[in-house]
Amino acid sequence: MTELGDYLRARRGLVGPAEVNLPSTGYRRVPGLRREEVALLAGISVDYYVRLEQGRERTPSASVLDALSAALRLPEDSRQHLFRLGGLSPRAGDPAVSDRVDPSLLELMSAWPGNPAIVYNRAYDVLASNAIADALFHDWAHSWNLMHIVFTDPAARSFYRDWPEVARNSVAGFRLGHGKAPDDPRIRQVLGELLAASPEFAELWTKHDARGKTLERKRFEHHEVGGLTLTMQTFDVRSSPGQELVVYHAEAGSPSSEALALLGTLAATSRQDRSISP
C-alpha cells in the first residue's frame, strides 16, 4: 500500500452514490463508492484504478489525478494533497521547519493588544504569540504545540467548547502540512508522539482528511473570563514558508468582545506585575 492508495480509498469512502448521480444498488461492504464506480466517473479502467489503490501503479498522470479529483469531489486543498501524493506537485524545498519569526512580524503582533495572535509552523509548534494570546491559552502551561494541547491536555475538552470539530480540523491541517513536508523531522516527531498518546488522534489520522485553515469561528471557555466566541483569520507568512499567522477577534459590542477586553486587561496587568517583580 502507498499513501496515495490509502488516500484514494479513504476519499471514496466519503462519497455516496447519490452525490454523484449513481444508483445505490446492491450490498456495500463499506460506505461510499465502489472502485468500479470511481473508475467509471474518472474515465479510467477499473484495473488501473485498483492498481493505484494497491500501490502497484505509482506514477499517475496529471489528467488522471484531475479526473479522480472531480470524481471524488475533492476541494482545492484535498486536490493539491492528491497531486503531492502522486508526485506531481513540488514538496517543500527545505525539509527543516523554520523556528525564526521575522522581527517586523513580532513588532506587528505586539501592536495588537486586543487581538490574540500566534505564529506556528507545519508541526503546529507555536513560535511566537502576543500577550493576550498567552493569556487566552493559559500561558502555554501544558505545551507550546497546538496539537499536543488539543489531544493531550485533559482540560482541552472544556477549553474548546466544540472539541470534536476542533480536533477534526486540527488533524486535517496537520495532514496537509505533513503532505507538504513528510520528511520534516519535527513533523514526524510530533506525529509519532500523537499516535502513541492519543487514540482519538490515531483514529482521525486514518481518515486522511487534508485541508488548510480558512475563516472560522471558535468557541472557548476560559477559566478567568468565561465564554468567548472568536473569529480567526489565518495568513501564510510569505517571508518564512511553512509558518502561518493566526489572528483572533470578537464581534464588536458582543459579550465575547467584553470578555476579550477583560482578558487584555488581565494580560497587561500580569505583564506589568512580572516586569516589576524582584
Side-chain angles (χ1 to χ4, degrees):
M1 296 298 181
T2 62
E3 280 193 80
L4 174 61
D6 288 342
Y7 188 62
L8 288 171
R9 189 165 51 256
R11 291 301 89 193
R12 71 177 169 88
L14 297 178
V15 182
E19 296 177 61
V20 291
N21 299 315
L22 289 176
S24 180
T25 58
Y27 172 71
R28 293 178 182 265
R29 290 186 297 117
V30 295
L33 297 176
R34 299 186 175 104
R35 287 170 171 171
E36 56 268 26
E37 291 170 334
V38 177
L40 172 66
L41 292 167
I44 59 178
S45 73
V46 177
D47 177 68
Y48 184 79
Y49 180 75
V50 170
R51 285 189 281 123
L52 282 173
E53 276 204 5
Q54 293 180 345
R56 293 185 289 122
E57 172 58 58
R58 298 168 183 261
T59 57
S61 67
S63 60
V64 166
L65 294 183
D66 267 329
L68 289 171
S69 297
L72 296 171
R73 300 296 195 265
L74 298 184
E76 184 58 26
D77 280 340
S78 299
R79 177 180 174 277
Q80 291 182 12
H81 186 65
L82 176 65
F83 269 69
R84 277 190 291 272
L85 295 180
L88 293 176
S89 180
R91 297 187 185 244
D94 184 357
V97 175
S98 173
D99 290 337
R100 181 182 181 275
V101 180
D102 191 296
S104 61
L105 179 55
L106 294 174
E107 185 178 355
L108 178 63
M109 292 166 63
S110 67
W112 297 330
N115 296 95
I118 63 174
V119 175
Y120 63 92
N121 58 24
R122 291 193 188 100
Y124 276 55
D125 293 318
V126 176
L127 306 178
S129 58
N130 61 8
I132 192 171
D134 292 341
L136 175 62
F137 287 92
H138 305 109
D139 290 314
W140 313 101
H142 178 76
S143 174
W144 282 89
N145 182 276
L146 293 169
M147 298 299 294
H148 277 290
I149 291 173
V150 173
F151 288 99
T152 68
D153 186 352
R157 286 164 174 78
S158 56
F159 177 58
Y160 294 106
R161 295 169 67 183
D162 303 300
W163 184 87
E165 180 182 354
V166 170
R168 287 193 299 271
N169 289 340
S170 297
V171 174
F174 188 80
R175 168 76 73 176
L176 192 66
H178 177 271
K180 292 177 180 178
D183 297 323
D184 186 294
R186 177 56 180 160
I187 294 176
R188 296 177 67 175
Q189 178 186 358
V190 172
L191 175 60
E193 291 168 350
L194 293 169
L195 288 172
S198 173
E200 294 94 338
F201 175 87
E203 180 180 356
L204 289 169
W205 188 249
T206 65
K207 297 184 183 301
H208 290 266
D209 286 334
R211 60 180 177 275
K213 291 184 180 295
T214 56
L215 174 65
E216 59 179 290
R217 295 164 73 86
K218 277 190 176 177
R219 300 195 305 154
F220 301 92
E221 187 64 36
H222 194 274
H223 73 278
E224 290 185 293
V225 301
L228 291 151
T229 299
L230 303 179
T231 298
M232 54 181 289
Q233 298 270 6
T234 305
F235 308 90
D236 290 329
V237 180
R238 297 291 296 275
S239 61
S240 299
Q243 293 182 7
E244 290 191 340
L245 166 68
V246 176
V247 184
Y248 297 87
H249 73 275
E251 182 181 350
S254 67
S256 292
S257 179
E258 296 175 3
L260 193 60
L262 175 58
L263 187 64
T265 300
L266 294 173
T269 302
S270 175
R271 196 171 196 175
Q272 184 178 19
D273 289 343
R274 286 197 294 268
S275 67
I276 64 177
S277 60

